Amino acid sequence: QVRLVESGGGLVQAGGSLRLSCAASGSIFSINTMEWYRQAPGKQREWVAGITSGGNANYADSVKGRFTISRDNAKNTVFLQMISLKPEDTAVYYCHAVQAPRVGIRYDHWGQGTQVTVSS
């Protein structure tokens, strides 16, 4: 079993910055992609950014240029650096890990979420 624990959320004013962390523990072998999703009140969960074990990163258009995803494979941790935050970034942010131990086998793991609130 894989456990993901997010931290770093909080309340920040518009234009401010936050850095989220997600630490993976447990049976973490063969974890490839790690991602961040977010869910605002009354909205569906949306993908924010993802990074492969090799360091290839991708971003949703809404955060491109403001958010940076990175990972420390040695510490099994993924980060999301967020700058120039906007009120519309307010959401619960979830860490997601894809584990693929063999071809055709895939496990999805989610963290419990961390609240980010951006005040105007």
Side-chain angles (χ1 to χ4, degrees):
Q1 188 70 352
V2 173
R3 183 176 183 227
L4 303 176
V5 179
E6 300 103 331
S7 61
L11 173 64
V12 65
Q13 288 188 332
S17 302
L18 282 174
R19 187 188 193 216
L20 306 183
S21 299
C22 171
S25 61
S27 300
I28 57 176
F29 58 91
S30 300
I31 287 182
N32 183 5
T33 301
M34 297 191 75
E35 301 171 305
W36 289 95
Y37 283 74
R38 66 186 181 186
Q39 187 166 18
K43 295 188 176 181
Q44 288 188 331
R45 189 172 298 188
E46 65 173 354
W47 176 80
V48 174
I51 186 167
T52 66
S53 56
N56 292 319
N58 286 286
Y59 301 91
D61 288 343
S62 59
V63 307
K64 203 171 291 184
R66 299 187 298 120
F67 290 10
T68 303
I69 189 170
S70 61
R71 67 191 284 175
D72 183 335
N73 289 328
K75 296 183 179 180
N76 303 307
T77 302
V78 64
F79 305 96
L80 187 67
Q81 178 68 51
M82 306 183 293
I83 66 171
S84 302
L85 283 162
K86 305 175 182 179
E88 51 263 43
D89 294 317
T90 295
V92 177
Y93 283 69
Y94 296 92
C95 180
H96 173 247
V98 177
Q99 189 176 28
R102 295 182 298 280
V103 173
I105 302 296
R106 171 187 168 129
Y107 302 107
D108 289 86
H109 305 284
W110 292 92
Q112 82 289 349
T114 185
Q115 176 71 47
V116 171
T117 303
V118 184
S119 63
S120 56

